C-alpha cells in the first residue's frame, strides 16, 4: 500500500503541473490571432467539409474547456472561447474535436470501443463513489471484502476506459495536425502550426496523467484489499 500511496502522491503532483501548463499554454495561444481570421466555428466547419462530413453540426455550448464531440447526435460542441475566437488555440481545439467526428465517420475502432463502454462506465463510476469507502470500512471492522471487491472491479473498468481514451485522443490530435498542416489557408505560418501542435500535445498529456492517476488509485485499493485478506 505504501508504494501505491506514494505513486498517487507523485502522479497528483505531476497532474497539477501538467494541468497548469496546459491552461497556461491555452491562454497564451488564445491571445495569438490567426492571420487567416477564421473563428473556431469556421475551422470546424471547413475541416468537416474537407473530410466529406455533412451530417455533423458545429454548435456552441456554455462553459470553459467544455469542447467535445457527441457521436449520439453528431455535434461538435465548442465552448464560447473556442467557437467565437479567432486564435491559434481555438483553431487547434476545433480541429481536434473534428478529429473525433472524422474517427466516427471512418468507424475508428478505438472510438467505437470507447463509445460502447460509456453506459457501463457510467454505472461503474457511480459504484466507485460508495463501494470503495464502505468497502474499506467493512473490511477493516468486519473482515468482509465483498463490497470492496466490487468497488475495485468497478474501478478497474474505469481505469481501462481511461487508457482506451488515450489512443482516441492522440489520434484525433494527429488528424487535426495533419489537416492543419495541409491547409495553409487556415494556418498561414510555421509559428501558428508549431503553437497549435504544442497546445494539442499538452492537452493530450492531461489525459495521460488522468489515466496514470486512475491506475495508481486502482493499485492502492487493490493492494489494500489483498493485503487485508492475506
Amino acid at each position: 500500500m505504501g508504494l501505491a500511496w506514494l505513486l498517487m502522491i507523485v502522479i497528483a503532483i505531476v497532474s497539477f503541473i501538467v494541468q497548469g501548463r496546459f491552461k497556461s499554454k491555452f491562454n497564451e495561444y488564445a491571445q495569438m490571432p490567426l492571420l487567416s481570421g477564421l473563428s473556431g466555428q469556421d475551422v470546424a466547419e471547413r475541416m468537416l467539409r474537407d473530410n466529406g462530413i455533412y451530417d455533423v453540426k458545429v454548435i456552441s455550448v456554455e462553459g470553459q474547456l467544455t469542447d467535445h464531440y457527441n457521436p449520439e447526435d453528431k455535434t461538435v460542441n465548442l465552448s464560447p472561447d473556442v467557437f467565437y475566437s479567432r486564435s491559434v488555440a481555438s483553431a487547434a481545439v476545433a480541429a481536434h474535436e473534428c478529429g473525433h467526428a472524422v474517427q466516427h465517420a471512418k468507424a475508428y475502432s478505438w472510438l467505437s470501443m470507447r463509445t460502447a463502454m460509456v453506459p457501463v462506465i457510467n454505472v461503474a463510476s457511480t459504484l466507485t463513489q460508495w463501494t470503495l469507502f464502505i468497502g474499506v470500512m467493512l473490511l477493516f471492522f468486519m473482515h468482509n471484502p465483498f463490497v470492496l471487491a466490487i468497488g475495485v472491479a468497478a474501478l478497474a473498468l474505469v481505469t481501462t476506459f481511461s487508457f482506451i481514451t488515450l489512443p482516441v485522443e492522440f489520434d484525433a490530435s494527429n488528424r487535426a495536425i495533419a489537416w492543419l498542416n495541409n491547409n495553409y489557408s487556415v494556418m498561414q505560418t510555421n509559428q501558428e502550426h508549431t503553437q497549435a501542435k504544442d497546445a494539442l500535445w499538452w492537452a493530450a498529456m492531461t489525459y495521460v496523467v488522468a489515466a496514470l492517476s486512475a491506475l495508481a488509485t486502482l493499485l492502492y485499493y487493490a493492494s489494500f484489499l489483498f493485503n487485508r485478506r492475506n
Side-chain angles (χ1 to χ4, degrees), residues 22 25-26 29-30 32 34 36 38-44 47 67 76 78 81-83 85-100 169 171-181 186-187 191-204:
F22 166 64
K25 288 289 185 178
F26 183 87
Y29 299 144
M32 302 292 182
L34 278 179
S36 64
L38 296 176
S39 67
Q41 178 190 13
D42 297 329
V43 172
M47 182 171 174
D67 313 277
V76 171
L78 303 178
D81 289 342
V82 172
F83 188 87
S85 177
R86 302 175 186 274
S87 67
V88 171
S90 64
V93 172
H96 171 87
E97 298 307 333
C98 287
H100 290 307
E169 295 300 327
D171 180 78
S173 288
N174 288 338
R175 292 176 191 268
I177 292 169
W179 180 78
L180 290 171
N181 285 342
V186 177
M187 288 190 171
Q191 183 182 22
E192 289 179 339
H193 287 287
T194 299
Q195 292 170 341
K197 186 175 181 179
D198 189 42
L200 291 178
W201 188 86
W202 281 104

Side-chain angles (χ1 to χ4, degrees), residues 2 6 35-36 45 72 74 87 93 115 120 128 137 141 143 147 158 207-208 213-214 226:
L6 178 61
L35 291 180
S36 64
E45 292 176 344
E72 293 186 359
K74 291 189 174 182
S87 67
V93 172
T115 302
V120 177
T128 59
M137 294 298 100
F141 292 108
H143 306 287
V147 174
V158 174
Y207 288 97
V208 172
S213 178
F226 292 117

Side-chain angles (χ1 to χ4, degrees), residues 105-128:
K106 295 182 180 297
Y108 179 60
S109 59
W110 286 102
L111 178 65
S112 299
M113 186 187 308
R114 184 183 185 277
T115 302
M117 288 183 67
V118 168
V120 177
I121 296 304
N122 288 337
V123 175
S125 297
T126 301
L127 282 175
T128 59

Side-chain angles (χ1 to χ4, degrees), residues 19-20 37 66 73 85 92 98 100 106 109 133-134 151 153 157 159 184:
Q19 288 283 354
T66 52
D73 60 8
S85 177
C98 287
H100 290 307
K106 295 182 180 297
S109 59
F133 176 75
I134 296 177
L157 286 173
T159 301
Y184 288 96

Side-chain angles (χ1 to χ4, degrees), residues 141-179:
F141 292 108
M142 302 180 63
H143 306 287
N144 185 339
F146 181 71
V147 174
L148 182 57
I150 294 176
V152 169
L155 186 56
L157 286 173
V158 174
T159 301
T160 300
F161 184 78
S162 296
F163 278 91
I164 289 176
T165 296
L166 296 183
V168 176
E169 295 300 327
F170 276 100
D171 180 78
S173 288
N174 288 338
R175 292 176 191 268
I177 292 169
W179 180 78

